[in-house]
Amino acid sequence: MSLLSIKDTCAYLSTSRANLYRLLQAGKLEAIKMGRNTRIPYASIEAYIHSLPKLHDHSSTQRKGV
């Protein structure tokens, strides 16, 4: 099991520490306490990313008047 620190998870998700803790509080990410350290399983991060809404691909549609 691959684990990331809070700092590394923030960098990976391009988010703030406060927002990461909000995600943890909301149950959108899992955390593991190892003594005084908190670690986030990489699988939890990947699951969170895959749960985010997908952007629609508009490149194949033609826009009128352009």
Side-chain angles (χ1 to χ4, degrees):
M1 175 189 299
S2 184
L3 302 171
L4 277 73
S5 67
I6 294 294
K7 181 179 179 179
D8 290 340
T9 303
C10 289
Y12 187 78
L13 294 176
S14 298
T15 193
S16 67
R17 187 178 185 93
N19 192 51
L20 180 61
Y21 278 104
R22 281 192 284 272
L23 292 171
L24 291 167
Q25 184 74 21
K28 295 184 179 192
L29 286 172
E30 295 177 32
I32 297 172
K33 287 295 283 183
M34 299 175 66
R36 293 179 49 150
N37 297 313
T38 302
R39 297 289 184 241
I40 312 298
Y42 184 76
S44 177
I45 297 167
E46 287 297 306
Y48 169 69
I49 291 171
H50 290 299
S51 75
L52 295 173
K54 309 293 185 261
L55 291 177
H56 296 288
D57 182 16
H58 294 291
S59 62
S60 62
T61 60
Q62 294 181 358
R63 293 171 53 190
K64 295 182 180 180
V66 177

